[in-house]
Amino acid sequence: MSDIALFTFLDYASVLVFALTGSLVASRAQLDIVGFLFFANLTAVGGGTVRDVLLDRNPVFWIDNPSYLGVASAAALLVFITAHLFESRYLLLLWLDAFALAIAVAAGSGVALALDQSAPVVLVMGVITGSMGGLMRDVVSNQVPLVLKQGELYVTCAFAGSAATVIASNFGLTPSLTAITCAVVTFILRGGSMAFGWQLPVYKSRPPRV
């Protein structure tokens, strides 16, 4: 698989899964079909759009190929019809979001790497691509963003996955293996955070000295 085909596949996969999470947020808010389509597309293309703008990729991926919007819209219609079948839509949302995060980080960091960007840029692009769509979704729906929840490993997972991209490429792994390594690292950390409560220490203020 060529690099272009690989990153196109990753973009499609992340668009699909992030669209499902956006649609589930719409279902929890009991919105109409237009609301489903809005949240699905906002979540699906938000991170990749910011990535492409910052990397000066012109045109932006979904403008160059509007079929991404078709995929996101199809996901919205699917969830609109089937969301009532899931007892815990929030739990499903969390795990789908973890899966989407892993794919999107691999796509974002991989694209930056393919453009011969420096390691810091690769790290930042992975984090942005993985986090921005979900951040937009949560802010617009008036929820505390997952990326900001106390004790949650989220941005940390995206950063670790992006770092895995840099390390794997330095060891000469192919783009496909590098993307798989990134996605696995990201998903394991995010899944462990949800399933086992893995978290980083949080800052706690101390009373002032008298």
Side-chain angles (χ1 to χ4, degrees), residues 27-175:
S27 74
R28 285 168 53 80
Q30 298 184 334
L31 301 181
D32 60 21
I33 186 59
V34 175
F36 273 70
L37 291 169
F38 173 77
F39 271 99
N41 282 279
L42 174 69
T43 312
V45 304
T49 299
V50 176
R51 173 200 68 197
D52 285 358
V53 169
L54 291 176
L55 289 176
D56 198 25
R57 294 180 79 205
N58 198 11
V60 173
F61 76 107
W62 59 267
I63 294 178
D64 183 52
N65 185 359
S67 63
Y68 289 105
L69 301 181
V71 170
S73 298
L77 293 172
L78 176 64
V79 175
F80 185 76
I81 297 170
T82 63
H84 65 282
L85 300 176
F86 304 102
E87 293 183 1
S88 176
R89 283 176 290 197
Y90 187 67
L91 182 60
L92 177 61
L93 169 65
L94 288 177
W95 282 104
L96 279 175
D97 188 85
F99 186 53
L101 175 69
I103 300 171
V105 172
S109 59
V111 165
L113 189 66
L115 293 175
D116 295 323
Q117 297 292 337
S118 63
V121 175
V122 173
L123 293 173
V124 172
M125 288 303 108
V127 172
I128 286 176
T129 309
S131 303
M132 286 303 296
L135 179 62
M136 294 176 186
R137 173 199 66 209
D138 293 342
V139 169
V140 173
S141 64
N142 199 31
Q143 299 182 40
V144 177
L146 286 174
V147 300
L148 299 178
K149 284 192 175 180
Q150 183 178 11
E152 288 274 2
L153 290 183
Y154 199 96
V155 173
T156 303
C157 306
F159 183 85
S162 299
T165 295
V166 174
I167 294 170
S169 66
N170 286 337
F171 275 96
L173 269 66
T174 65

Side-chain angles (χ1 to χ4, degrees), residues 102-103 106 161 178-188:
I103 300 171
T178 298
I180 292 172
T181 301
C182 170
V184 168
V185 169
T186 305
F187 186 78
I188 287 176

